[in-house]
Short mmCIF file of all heavy atoms in Angstrom, two decimals:
data_model
loop_
_atom_site.label_atom_id
_atom_site.label_comp_id
_atom_site.label_asym_id
_atom_site.label_seq_id
_atom_site.Cartn_x
_atom_site.Cartn_y
_atom_site.Cartn_z
N ASN K 467 131.58 124.51 124.49
CA ASN K 467 131.79 124.77 125.91
C ASN K 467 131.95 126.33 126.16
O ASN K 467 131.44 126.82 127.17
CB ASN K 467 133.07 124.10 126.41
CG ASN K 467 132.83 122.66 126.71
OD1 ASN K 467 131.74 122.21 126.89
ND2 ASN K 467 133.93 121.86 126.75
N LYS K 468 132.54 126.98 125.17
CA LYS K 468 132.73 128.48 125.36
C LYS K 468 131.34 129.16 125.28
O LYS K 468 131.09 130.11 126.03
CB LYS K 468 133.60 128.96 124.21
CG LYS K 468 134.32 130.21 124.45
CD LYS K 468 135.42 130.04 125.52
CE LYS K 468 135.94 131.37 125.96
NZ LYS K 468 136.55 131.31 127.32
N LYS K 469 130.48 128.60 124.47
CA LYS K 469 129.11 129.16 124.39
C LYS K 469 128.35 128.92 125.73
O LYS K 469 127.68 129.77 126.24
CB LYS K 469 128.31 128.43 123.26
CG LYS K 469 128.28 129.16 121.97
CD LYS K 469 127.17 130.20 122.00
CE LYS K 469 127.07 131.10 120.72
NZ LYS K 469 127.76 132.36 120.91
N LEU K 470 128.52 127.66 126.24
CA LEU K 470 127.83 127.28 127.44
C LEU K 470 128.41 127.98 128.71
O LEU K 470 127.63 128.35 129.64
CB LEU K 470 127.92 125.76 127.65
CG LEU K 470 127.24 124.91 126.60
CD1 LEU K 470 127.62 123.43 126.83
CD2 LEU K 470 125.72 125.05 126.63
N ALA K 471 129.71 128.17 128.70
CA ALA K 471 130.37 128.74 129.91
C ALA K 471 131.53 129.56 129.47
O ALA K 471 132.69 129.07 129.47
CB ALA K 471 130.83 127.58 130.82
N PRO K 472 131.31 130.85 129.14
CA PRO K 472 132.38 131.72 128.60
C PRO K 472 133.53 131.91 129.63
O PRO K 472 134.64 132.33 129.18
CB PRO K 472 131.67 133.03 128.30
CG PRO K 472 130.25 132.73 128.34
CD PRO K 472 129.99 131.51 129.15
N ASP K 473 133.24 131.69 130.92
CA ASP K 473 134.30 131.91 131.95
C ASP K 473 135.34 130.80 131.97
O ASP K 473 136.32 130.93 132.68
CB ASP K 473 133.62 132.15 133.29
CG ASP K 473 132.70 131.01 133.63
OD1 ASP K 473 132.05 130.47 132.74
OD2 ASP K 473 132.60 130.68 134.82
N ILE K 474 135.11 129.68 131.35
CA ILE K 474 136.04 128.56 131.46
C ILE K 474 136.98 128.56 130.25
O ILE K 474 136.55 128.66 129.12
CB ILE K 474 135.26 127.20 131.51
CG1 ILE K 474 134.15 127.17 132.55
CG2 ILE K 474 136.24 125.99 131.65
CD1 ILE K 474 134.60 126.97 133.93
N GLU K 475 138.27 128.46 130.54
CA GLU K 475 139.26 128.38 129.43
C GLU K 475 139.78 126.97 129.16
O GLU K 475 139.99 126.25 130.16
CB GLU K 475 140.48 129.29 129.76
CG GLU K 475 140.20 130.74 129.68
CD GLU K 475 139.78 131.29 128.34
OE1 GLU K 475 140.02 130.57 127.31
OE2 GLU K 475 139.16 132.36 128.30
N LEU K 476 139.96 126.62 127.96
CA LEU K 476 140.53 125.33 127.63
C LEU K 476 142.02 125.41 127.44
O LEU K 476 142.53 126.32 126.76
CB LEU K 476 139.88 124.86 126.26
CG LEU K 476 140.53 123.62 125.72
CD1 LEU K 476 140.13 122.33 126.54
CD2 LEU K 476 140.09 123.37 124.26
N VAL K 477 142.75 124.57 128.09
CA VAL K 477 144.22 124.45 127.87
C VAL K 477 144.49 123.03 127.37
O VAL K 477 144.22 122.07 128.07
CB VAL K 477 145.00 124.76 129.20
CG1 VAL K 477 146.49 124.50 128.97
CG2 VAL K 477 144.79 126.20 129.62
N CYS K 478 145.11 122.98 126.18
CA CYS K 478 145.43 121.65 125.60
C CYS K 478 146.94 121.44 125.68
O CYS K 478 147.74 122.29 125.35
CB CYS K 478 145.02 121.57 124.12
SG CYS K 478 143.25 121.38 123.92
N PHE K 479 147.32 120.23 126.14
CA PHE K 479 148.70 119.85 126.18
C PHE K 479 148.95 118.92 125.01
O PHE K 479 148.20 117.97 124.77
CB PHE K 479 149.01 119.13 127.47
CG PHE K 479 149.07 119.98 128.69
CD1 PHE K 479 147.89 120.44 129.30
CD2 PHE K 479 150.26 120.34 129.26
CE1 PHE K 479 147.97 121.26 130.39
CE2 PHE K 479 150.33 121.17 130.35
CZ PHE K 479 149.13 121.61 130.96
N MET K 480 150.10 119.13 124.32
CA MET K 480 150.48 118.19 123.29
C MET K 480 151.06 116.97 123.98
O MET K 480 151.83 117.09 124.90
CB MET K 480 151.59 118.78 122.39
CG MET K 480 151.19 119.98 121.64
SD MET K 480 149.82 119.60 120.50
CE MET K 480 149.08 121.16 120.38
N THR K 481 150.67 115.81 123.44
CA THR K 481 151.22 114.58 123.95
C THR K 481 152.79 114.59 123.90
O THR K 481 153.36 115.17 123.02
CB THR K 481 150.72 113.39 123.15
OG1 THR K 481 151.19 112.19 123.71
CG2 THR K 481 151.13 113.41 121.68
N SER K 482 153.42 113.90 124.81
CA SER K 482 154.86 113.70 124.70
C SER K 482 155.08 112.59 123.66
O SER K 482 154.22 111.68 123.56
CB SER K 482 155.42 113.23 126.03
OG SER K 482 155.19 114.22 127.04
N LEU K 483 156.17 112.72 122.89
CA LEU K 483 156.36 111.83 121.76
C LEU K 483 156.20 110.36 122.15
O LEU K 483 155.60 109.58 121.38
CB LEU K 483 157.80 112.01 121.24
CG LEU K 483 157.93 112.93 120.00
CD1 LEU K 483 159.37 112.86 119.53
CD2 LEU K 483 156.94 112.47 118.91
N GLU K 484 156.73 109.94 123.29
CA GLU K 484 156.66 108.53 123.61
C GLU K 484 155.29 107.99 123.94
O GLU K 484 155.10 106.80 124.03
CB GLU K 484 157.67 108.18 124.80
CG GLU K 484 157.36 108.84 126.09
CD GLU K 484 158.10 110.13 126.31
OE1 GLU K 484 158.15 110.98 125.45
OE2 GLU K 484 158.66 110.35 127.44
N TYR K 485 154.33 108.94 124.12
CA TYR K 485 152.96 108.47 124.46
C TYR K 485 152.01 108.70 123.34
O TYR K 485 150.77 108.46 123.46
CB TYR K 485 152.50 109.20 125.72
CG TYR K 485 153.39 109.01 126.91
CD1 TYR K 485 153.91 110.09 127.60
CD2 TYR K 485 153.70 107.78 127.36
CE1 TYR K 485 154.75 109.92 128.69
CE2 TYR K 485 154.55 107.56 128.42
CZ TYR K 485 155.07 108.67 129.09
OH TYR K 485 155.94 108.44 130.13
#
Side-chain angles (χ1 to χ4, degrees):
N467 282 338
K468 204 68 190 158
K469 262 278 176 264
L470 295 171
D473 52 326
I474 309 284
E475 288 299 338
L476 172 71
V477 173
C478 285
F479 287 77
M480 297 298 154
T481 182
S482 299
L483 260 186
E484 64 266 46
Y485 303 124

